[in-house]
Amino acid sequence: MYEKSDKRRLYWLIDQYLLGKIDEPTFCDEFYYSYDSESNNETLSDVEQQAFAELSNVSSRFSQYEEDHKLDARAFSTVQELKQKIMETKEKLQEQSPI
């Protein structure tokens, strides 16, 4: 496992989610701690910065509760939106240069 400040942890989290080893709330919490709280943007390429920032936007708005989506569907990300953004992020990063 990587330190929370290590950008490789971000890639690892994406893989863990796509392999079904972690669920959405766990992914969002761990991504927040690793990217939003601990990452050093100086170690990220421009492509990584953009991709992770977009993923952060979706993951920070994620709610697993249907009640939240009924209150304001635009304010919260769904499971499908989160999964789609994670897959898009992985593809974008693989095009750049896989770790």
Side-chain angles (χ1 to χ4, degrees), residues 1-4 6 8-9 12-13 16 22 30 34:
M1 169 110 54
Y2 303 106
E3 301 243 351
K4 289 188 185 212
D6 188 331
R8 293 176 296 177
R9 181 173 168 79
W12 178 81
L13 286 169
Q16 292 300 293
I22 59 175
E30 292 300 319
S34 295

Side-chain angles (χ1 to χ4, degrees), residues 21-63:
K21 295 189 176 187
I22 59 175
D23 62 8
E24 291 82 11
T26 302
F27 175 84
C28 292
D29 288 345
E30 292 300 319
F31 188 81
Y32 169 79
Y33 294 129
S34 295
Y35 177 73
D36 294 310
S37 293
E38 299 285 335
S39 75
N40 178 354
N41 283 348
E42 294 176 8
T43 65
L44 301 176
S45 70
D46 291 342
V47 172
E48 288 170 327
Q49 285 181 21
Q50 180 182 3
F52 290 139
E54 290 174 8
L55 180 54
S56 176
N57 185 42
V58 174
S59 66
S60 67
R61 296 183 303 109
F62 172 74
S63 176

Side-chain angles (χ1 to χ4, degrees), residues 39-96:
S39 75
N40 178 354
N41 283 348
E42 294 176 8
T43 65
L44 301 176
S45 70
D46 291 342
V47 172
E48 288 170 327
Q49 285 181 21
Q50 180 182 3
F52 290 139
E54 290 174 8
L55 180 54
S56 176
N57 185 42
V58 174
S59 66
S60 67
R61 296 183 303 109
F62 172 74
S63 176
Q64 62 188 344
Y65 302 108
E66 190 174 323
E67 298 83 28
D68 291 339
H69 298 280
K70 287 179 183 176
L71 287 173
D72 188 350
R74 295 172 296 167
F76 299 98
S77 301
T78 64
V79 170
Q80 295 82 8
E81 290 168 330
L82 178 64
K83 186 173 185 176
Q84 180 64 36
K85 182 50 79 175
I86 291 171
M87 291 187 307
E88 287 173 10
T89 301
K90 181 164 177 87
E91 290 174 15
K92 185 181 287 189
L93 295 172
Q94 283 179 328
E95 291 171 7
Q96 170 197 265

